[in-house]
Amino acid sequence: MSKVVCVLYDDPVTGYPSEYPRDGLPALERYPDGQTLPTPEAIDFTPGTLLGSVSGELGLRPYLESLGHELIVTSDKDGENSEFDKHLADAEIVISQPFWPAYLTAERIARAPKLKLAVTAGIGSDHYDLDAAIEAGITVAEVTFCNSISVAEHVVMMILSQVRNYLPSYKWVIDGGWNIADCVQRSYDLEGMHVGTIAAGRIGLAVLRRLAPFDVHLHYTDKHRLPAEVEKELNLTFHPSVQDMVPHLDVVTINAPLHPETRGLFNEELIGTMKRGAYLINTARALICDRDAVKRALESGQLAGYAGDVWFPQPAPADHPWRTMPHHGMTPHISGSTLSAQTRYAAGTREILECYFNGNPIRDEYLIVDGGALAGVGARSYTATAKSGAA
């Protein structure tokens, strides 16, 4: 019997929902690049339901218990006396989401001698210490592409909400006002602006495609240049580096993974090279930006707005300065956890577990670490320094 520890965010404050605004989800068969959606042997949940919270359990309990395994589901993940820590010593599998990450540090991995598999129900596995996982021979997997389009849609929403000053205008209505001048004094058209993405992978490219109809000038930078036909189709301008690109932009959207090259990238110096009044959108990882440099740039007017849904740590403490800084459009980490996305990442988690228990290979596009080295999509997205020799 295996112990599976699953860390999920809390249920709604009003209780787990008994009904939903919509019946069912649109039918999708493939992602934009042709990759198939998750293909588990079966699912034990209704698509479109709240699966990412504690009571949703990612729909895994009937499956795991039918095989004789023990499933522990908790939202208590921080501190040495957390439920997560209590069960680590004899856990064989850990499942966590980027939205409510169970930080699997080197210290925690050292206290988990039975741990063989760490699964991200979503995309982005930087809350796991990949070097320590490599050293310990732990397989790390995530459900690649499951919520990439969800995040891309969130990015576009945030760009428009910032440029059009939507959130303050909405608040005037809620507060009973009709203050048009107050609403429009910071409102502009997106049309004609220069917009660029840091990284043009699945999310970044999806953002570019969705922005093209807005008649903006599109830019990007990435370690891997897009095919010439894609650049021509979207009329993209490529830049060899972030530093080269950002001075030209009115809107910058960050869609890169967190690794040593991107940690702290948007510091005081880089933000200072941006156009005065530019907007910065970050749905990637909070540590790509210097927390206090962002706050100061909004206060000085160097940035006209900052929006995102990634914080550090997560959940963010009540006194986190991003909660109260001016001209922000922050949300809790929700961009990739729509009910649509939850259906895909719950099914993908089930698929990964089926492969593990049946002794079958996990999809290459799901693998981050395997066999003591970066593997699959992880080898293309992350860097590692472990003694195993991984790049």
Side-chain angles (χ1 to χ4, degrees):
M1 182 186 77
S2 301
K3 174 179 276 192
V4 181
V5 180
C6 185
V7 178
L8 302 175
Y9 47 76
D10 290 313
D11 287 346
V13 294
T14 53
Y16 194 74
S18 58
E19 61 179 2
Y20 296 86
R22 295 179 55 82
D23 300 322
L25 299 173
L28 302 176
E29 295 182 357
R30 294 183 179 274
Y31 297 116
D33 71 346
Q35 177 185 316
T36 59
L37 269 65
T39 54
E41 295 174 1
I43 57 172
D44 297 305
F45 59 79
T46 301
T49 54
L50 181 59
L51 300 165
S53 70
V54 169
S55 293
E57 300 182 322
L58 296 179
L60 293 174
R61 187 170 296 280
Y63 164 66
L64 290 172
E65 292 186 346
S66 72
L67 297 177
H69 304 306
E70 179 184 6
L71 175 64
I72 304 295
V73 181
T74 182
S75 64
D76 184 16
K77 65 185 181 69
D78 295 318
E80 292 184 3
N81 296 318
S82 67
E83 285 298 308
F84 178 54
D85 278 279
K86 289 177 185 178
H87 291 283
L88 261 182
D90 54 354
E92 184 174 333
I93 299 171
V94 165
I95 302 169
S96 176
Q97 300 173 106
F99 330 108
W100 189 263
Y103 293 103
L104 195 58
T105 61
E107 293 76 17
R108 277 175 159 166
I109 288 175
R111 300 199 304 267
K114 297 182 179 180
L115 187 61
K116 301 297 182 186
L117 175 65
V119 180
T120 298
I123 58 176
S125 296
D126 50 85
H127 56 287
Y128 299 148
D129 188 318
L130 299 184
D131 285 336
I134 288 169
E135 291 281 15
I138 297 168
T139 296
V140 179
E142 63 183 44
V143 191
T144 303
F145 221 152
C146 65
N147 55 11
S148 298
I149 303 304
S150 311
V151 176
E153 291 183 357
H154 200 89
V155 170
V156 174
M157 175 189 73
M158 284 187 153
I159 291 173
L160 288 170
S161 70
Q162 284 290 297
V163 173
R164 298 304 297 263
N165 202 37
Y166 170 74
L167 293 173
S169 303
Y170 172 77
K171 190 173 186 304
W172 276 112
V173 171
I174 294 298
D175 292 344
W178 193 264
N179 300 54
I180 293 176
D182 295 275
C183 296
V184 302
Q185 66 179 329
R186 298 183 64 87
S187 178
Y188 298 88
D189 291 345
L190 182 61
E191 182 184 24
M193 286 190 176
H194 289 258
V195 184
T197 175
I198 313 299
R202 293 178 178 88
I203 297 173
L205 180 56
V207 170
L208 293 172
R209 289 193 180 282
R210 281 154 181 75
L211 288 175
F214 285 87
D215 293 327
V216 292
H217 304 280
L218 294 175
H219 303 249
Y220 81 101
T221 184
D222 198 298
K223 291 190 296 184
H224 308 285
R225 191 160 179 172
L226 292 169
E229 57 269 25
V230 175
E231 290 189 351
K232 182 178 179 180
E233 173 196 354
L234 298 176
N235 195 24
L236 303 179
T237 299
F238 172 76
H239 298 265
S241 71
V242 174
Q243 292 76 10
D244 176 74
M245 183 176 74
V246 297
H248 303 282
L249 302 181
D250 302 290
V251 181
V252 177
T253 169
I254 304 171
N255 299 293
L258 177 65
H259 53 69
E261 295 174 21
T262 59
R263 183 180 292 265
L265 176 64
F266 277 83
N267 54 20
E268 195 104 37
E269 180 180 0
L270 183 62
I271 293 173
T273 70
M274 297 171 67
K275 288 183 180 180
R276 191 190 75 83
Y279 303 89
L280 183 57
I281 312 297
N282 183 11
T283 56
R285 288 295 181 264
L287 290 177
I288 296 175
C289 294
D290 180 308
R291 184 194 70 178
D292 296 329
V294 167
K295 177 176 179 290
R296 287 192 294 269
L298 289 169
E299 291 171 343
S300 71
Q302 175 62 17
L303 288 177
Y306 180 91
D309 73 335
V310 285
W311 308 68
F312 185 81
Q314 293 188 158
D319 62 353
H320 194 294
W322 285 2
R323 291 183 182 269
T324 55
M325 62 188 180
H327 313 307
H328 79 78
M330 297 298 296
T331 56
H333 196 166
I334 59 169
S335 63
S337 195
T338 62
L339 296 179
S340 309
Q342 288 178 48
T343 292
R344 295 188 291 271
Y345 67 68
T349 300
R350 168 74 177 259
E351 179 186 338
I352 290 168
L353 294 177
E354 288 176 354
C355 291
Y356 177 79
F357 288 123
N358 293 336
N360 297 325
I362 296 172
R363 283 200 213 193
D364 185 69
E365 57 257 40
Y366 289 171
L367 287 173
I368 303 299
V369 169
D370 193 41
L374 290 172
V377 71
R380 298 184 288 275
S381 301
Y382 293 94
T383 55
T385 58
K387 296 176 183 177
S388 61

